[in-house]
Amino acid sequence: MTRLIAEQVLMIPEKIKEFDRELIEKTGCSLKELASEASGIGSAPPKPAAHPVAVIPVTAGQGTIKGFSEALHAIAAYLGFPAFITAAPDVSGLVEAYQSDATIALMADDHLYAAINLKTRRATGNDEATAKGFTTALQKMAGGLKGKAVLVIGLGPLGTAAAQALLQEGADLILYDLLREKEAALLKSCATAEQQRITTGLTLEQALARTHLIFDASPGEAFIPAAMLPTGAIISAPGLPLGLDPTAAQKFTDHLIHEPLQIGTAVMLFQALI
Ligand code: 2YJ
């Protein structure tokens, strides 16, 4: 995931209810239900109220992002976790999290955003959690993915994790990356049975002509015009910024999930409880 910027996260606390309402409209699932299902927590209902979450600001690298810790706090609190932002950042914040008896520490530097269960030592990363959450969202919007072709655009860590999650859901894959060698590398890393369910080497236009199910994990901005998208397109788009151009985003808004932090964070928190 590209480094977030303040404008992408500042409104999350005040818009979280509205976000959840829209998510329910589009997927039939609330954030809590979606994250619970995507995390694989199974039938045991998660009990967030019993697990305090410490959000630890991290000043390493390019430093803190205005509104980032507040956004994580708002997401955790919305899901029912007793959440707090540590008074001190970094190592002192981690000590504070332990001393406050927090179950989960949430923190991110410029390379990794992780949730760590301080009691069980289970650590979960944002890429895998985001891939799982947006795959579940796509599956809900599409009414299932088994045997259906999904185009994965952008094969960085998030797109690669998405490809794995989609294969697990039984989808067939069309892989696309501007760096074409990434398609071949990902194909090669898959088991033989899975390779038979994967298509590579198409242009973006050819790929979009073959399926209406799209997972946009690319960091490219506005390179997909409305005219390139098939009728009935359904798009899960955790990639930042959005690959669809503004007209396309408007046209497909009812079948488009695109947000910077909510779904991934929610899945990380539930995965950390397993
Ligand atoms: O605590 C803070 O405010 C900052 N240290 C947050 C940094 C947030 N990190 C990012 O946006 C990185 N892109 C995280 C990479 C996650 C990999 N998926």
Side-chain angles (χ1 to χ4, degrees), residues 88-154:
D90 306 326
V91 177
S92 304
L94 186 55
V95 170
E96 204 181 315
Y98 271 106
Q99 287 176 342
S100 316
D101 207 24
T103 303
I104 298 173
L106 267 187
M107 54 190 159
D109 62 13
D110 296 340
H111 308 286
L112 182 66
Y113 169 27
I116 303 168
N117 188 316
L118 302 175
K119 298 178 193 281
T120 63
R121 305 203 292 169
R122 183 180 170 88
T124 61
N126 183 252
D127 284 330
E128 195 212 319
T130 303
K132 286 249 166 74
F134 276 78
T135 292
T136 303
L138 188 66
Q139 180 220 320
K140 298 284 172 194
M141 290 193 288
L145 295 175
K146 213 171 176 51
K148 298 181 186 171
V150 177
L151 167 61
V152 182
I153 305 174

Side-chain angles (χ1 to χ4, degrees), residues 1-4 57-58 63-65 68 108-111 113 127:
M1 131 189 182
T2 333
R3 188 178 148 91
L4 291 163
V58 173
T64 56
I65 296 169
F68 182 75
D109 62 13
D110 296 340
H111 308 286
Y113 169 27
D127 284 330

Side-chain angles (χ1 to χ4, degrees), residues 195-218:
Q195 288 182 358
Q196 283 158 13
R197 293 158 50 200
I198 300 175
T199 303
T200 60
L202 301 179
T203 64
L204 188 56
E205 288 83 349
Q206 288 168 338
L208 285 164
R210 289 212 191 173
T211 183
H212 67 296
L213 301 177
I214 299 154
F215 195 111
D216 175 19
S218 87

Side-chain angles (χ1 to χ4, degrees), residues 32-51 79-81 266 269-274:
K32 196 171 186 172
E33 291 164 344
L34 191 80
S36 178
E37 183 168 332
S39 67
I41 205 155
S43 52
K47 291 195 178 60
H51 299 288
L79 294 169
F81 291 90
L269 287 169
F270 284 141
Q271 282 179 334
L273 289 184
I274 295 174

Side-chain angles (χ1 to χ4, degrees), residues 9-21 67 70-71 74-75 78 262:
V9 297
L10 275 170
M11 299 300 278
I12 288 177
E14 71 183 75
K15 296 240 160 138
I16 188 119
K17 273 195 195 137
E18 188 181 325
F19 166 78
D20 206 17
R21 258 200 312 276
E70 290 76 5
I75 297 162
Y78 185 72
Q262 295 89 320

